[in-house]
Structure formats: C-alpha cells, structure tokens
Amino acid sequence: MCQDCTDKLLDGMDSQLKALEDECAEYRRMLDGLRKDRSTNSFFDVNASKIELNKLKGEEKMLRSELSQLEIEERELETQLNEEARRGAGVAKEDERLWRAFRDVSRKLLDLETDEQSAAAQLVYTRAQLDKLSKTNVFNLTFHIWHSGRFGTINGFRLGRLPDDQVEWNEINAAWGQTVLLLKSLAKRIDFQFTDYEPVPMGSASYVKCLSADAKDKELPLYCVGGYKFLGHPKFDSAMVIFLDCLRQLQSEIERNGGFHLPHAMQRDKIEDQGKEYSVKTQFNSEERWTKAMKCLLTNLKWALAWVASLQP
C-alpha cells in the first residue's frame, strides 16, 4: 500500500474514532442524567406504582359498576319513555277529541249568541212597535171622521143627501152603522151605560133598542131603504132623535168628568151651529138642513172621540 492511501486510511479511521468517542460521551451524559433523575424522582418507585395501579383498578371497578347501574337506569328510562310516548299518543287523541268538542260547543255558542242578538233586536223592535201602538189613537185609526164638501164623512161614507148630490141610501146606512159603532165603543171605553135606550151596531142595519117595558116600538131602525120624503120616515126619524139623546147623555158624562165641552149644543131633535138650529129629522126638513145636522153630529162625535182617546189606558 502506498503512502498516500495509508494516510487517507488513517485520516478516515481517525474521523470514525472521533465520532465514536463523541457518541460515547453523549451516551455517558444521558446515562448520568437518567441516574440522577432516578435518584431524585419517585416515578420509578415500584411499590408506589403498584399502589397507584391498585387504586386505579378499584376506581375502574367502581366506574364499571356505576356504568352497569346507569345502563339499567337507561333501560328503565327507555321503558318509561315508551310508556309516556304511548300515553302522549292517547293524550293527543283525547286533546284532538276535546278540541273538536270545544269547536262544536264554540259553534253552538256562536249560534246561540247570534240567536240571542236576533232575539234582542226583535225585542227592541217589538217594544218599539208596542210603544208606537200604545201611543196610537186606536179610535182615530178605526173611525176616521172628516168631511167631503158639505157632507160629514165617517170612514169614507157620506152621511146626508143634497138635491144636487143624491147619496145612495146604502152609503148613508153604512155611515150610520159606523156612527152607532163609534158611540157604543166610546161608551164602553169609559164604562158608561145609557138610560132608556141602547144603540145596537149592526152594520148597515143598525138600530136603537128601547129599554122601557111600556115602549110601543122596542127597536127603531137607524137605516132607511126609501127615497127622501117630505113627510120623512117616522121610525127612522125617531131612531135618529134617540141617537142624539144618547150622544147628549155621553156629552153630560164627559163634561161631568173632564170639563170638556162638545162644539155643538144638542137639545131634543135639534143640534146647534153658530146660533142656528138644525133638526136631525127628515120630516118637514130640507135635505140641506138635514145634511148640516148630520155633519154637526159627526163633529160632536169626533170631539168626544178625541177626549176619550186622551184618557190613560
């Protein structure tokens, strides 16, 4: 081997030796450090490690026991949860049933409230109508006394005849029927009884009844079927005079109780207007004057009606 190769080999071996020496020094330092740590640290105490291990095993056993208990409790809770779920399903069904019942009851309540409101409105309307009717003059509605030219009228029927306006006797008789009914109604309203005579309303065939036992004619007609006669119609005339007397009796009752006076004075067969007397008889009388007497008679009845209607019910 040449000198150069020998030198290179020696240099390489020196380098390896130095590296090995450095490595050995490092190992020694690490070993010294481990020995030092072992002498100062109880980590490597076997007895203490065994005690710690036994302690950990005890804790593990206890934890496993607790785990088993928790698993048992978990299964019980799952059972209770399933039971509560079944109960919840039943409660949901019951809740739905109760909700439907509540909805039905609410609808019925709404219907009842609607009916109640309707009944209340009907009651208000009925009371208003009752109040209106209580303030309504029934006599004025039933018996409308007015005039048509020189004729007095009652419910549209003319009571009288004129030479230039020959009212049919059917209309006159109907007017007398309404007049008799009005007088009878007024007397009944104030509980008044006529003496000697009694008007009997019978429509177009009304009459006056004589209450005296010795009366020659028990019934006198307040209607006529014949034409106008100069000598009149005796029974018809007598009936009209009696009717005027009955109206005069009612007038006395009204004046006695209320101090109310009718506008036309009446005496026997006469009725007065502005100082002039007009007979209710047709005998020896003109149609104009008889018609005037009938108009004054209806006017007195209208005033009597107004007084009776003003009384408290």
Side-chain angles (χ1 to χ4, degrees):
M1 181 180 299
C2 63
Q3 185 66 34
D4 294 333
C5 292
T6 302
D7 292 338
K8 290 181 180 180
L9 178 62
L10 290 174
D11 291 337
M13 291 179 68
D14 289 338
S15 298
Q16 290 181 0
L17 178 61
K18 184 179 181 181
L20 288 172
E21 288 177 351
D22 292 338
E23 187 176 350
C24 287
E26 184 67 27
Y27 282 146
R28 285 192 186 96
R29 285 193 300 270
M30 291 180 63
L31 181 59
D32 290 340
L34 288 173
R35 286 175 180 174
K36 185 178 179 181
D37 291 340
R38 184 176 181 181
S39 63
T40 58
N41 196 339
S42 62
F43 176 77
F44 297 99
D45 189 349
V46 176
N47 292 329
S49 298
K50 288 182 179 179
I51 293 173
E52 184 69 19
L53 178 61
N54 291 332
K55 181 180 178 182
L56 291 174
K57 286 182 178 179
E59 290 180 357
E60 180 186 9
K61 184 178 180 180
M62 183 181 64
L63 290 173
R64 288 184 181 276
S65 177
E66 290 181 359
L67 177 61
S68 298
Q69 185 65 31
L70 290 173
E71 288 176 347
I72 293 173
E73 292 180 359
E74 181 184 12
R75 288 192 294 271
E76 291 178 352
L77 288 174
E78 286 180 353
T79 302
Q80 293 179 5
L81 182 61
N82 293 332
E83 182 64 24
E84 292 298 327
R86 288 192 295 271
R87 290 181 181 177
V91 170
K93 291 182 180 179
E94 181 66 13
D95 182 68
E96 183 180 358
R97 185 188 67 81
L98 291 176
W99 174 253
R100 287 197 300 267
F102 173 75
R103 182 188 59 195
D104 295 339
V105 170
S106 297
R107 185 177 63 251
K108 291 180 180 179
L109 179 61
L110 181 61
D111 293 340
L112 288 175
E113 289 177 349
T114 303
D115 293 342
E116 182 182 6
Q117 292 174 359
S118 177
Q122 185 66 28
L123 179 61
V124 171
Y125 173 76
T126 303
R127 284 177 174 172
Q129 291 296 108
L130 179 60
D131 183 63
K132 181 179 179 181
L133 288 175
S134 64
K135 295 178 180 178
T136 300
N137 189 332
V138 178
F139 284 108
N140 278 336
L141 291 177
T142 308
F143 303 99
H144 179 62
I145 297 177
W146 198 238
H147 59 83
S148 176
R150 289 181 289 173
F151 293 101
T153 63
I154 180 169
N155 291 342
F157 297 113
R158 291 172 293 178
L159 187 55
R161 285 170 64 90
L162 294 173
D164 57 348
D165 195 349
Q166 293 290 297
V167 179
E168 296 291 335
W169 280 104
N170 289 337
E171 183 177 349
I172 296 173
N173 294 338
W176 265 115
Q178 294 294 304
T179 303
V180 174
L181 179 60
L182 173 56
L183 180 63
K184 185 75 173 182
S185 300
L186 294 177
K188 184 177 181 180
R189 173 64 181 81
I190 62 175
D191 196 23
F192 175 71
Q193 297 291 332
F194 297 105
T195 58
D196 299 329
Y197 307 101
E198 180 182 1
V200 181
M202 291 289 291
S204 297
S206 299
Y207 60 91
V208 289
K209 180 192 297 185
C210 298
L211 302 179
S212 176
D214 56 351
K216 181 179 179 181
D217 295 312
K218 291 294 184 181
E219 296 179 1
L220 294 171
L222 273 171
Y223 58 91
C224 186
V225 296
Y228 189 85
K229 299 179 180 178
F230 178 74
L231 295 178
H233 308 275
K235 291 187 176 182
F236 181 48
D237 286 349
S238 298
M240 288 189 288
V241 173
I242 292 173
F243 182 88
L244 191 66
D245 181 68
C246 291
L247 180 55
R248 188 167 52 249
Q249 293 180 36
L250 182 67
Q251 177 189 23
S252 299
E253 180 70 11
I254 291 173
E255 292 177 351
R256 184 176 64 84
N257 287 284
F260 185 81
H261 299 280
L262 301 185
H264 302 291
M266 296 173 288
Q267 187 176 6
R268 295 188 299 274
D269 65 316
K270 301 290 194 307
I271 186 166
E272 184 180 320
D273 179 43
Q274 296 181 356
K276 296 181 180 180
E277 293 183 341
Y278 300 91
S279 176
V280 297
K281 291 183 177 182
T282 59
Q283 186 180 22
F284 306 123
N285 201 359
S286 66
E287 291 179 327
E288 292 89 342
R289 294 182 66 83
W290 180 69
T291 299
K292 178 65 175 181
M294 296 298 100
K295 188 175 182 180
C296 293
L297 182 145
L298 288 177
T299 301
N300 274 358
L301 273 172
K302 185 177 179 68
W303 282 53
L305 183 153
W307 180 83
V308 172
S310 67
L311 300 177
Q312 292 295 330

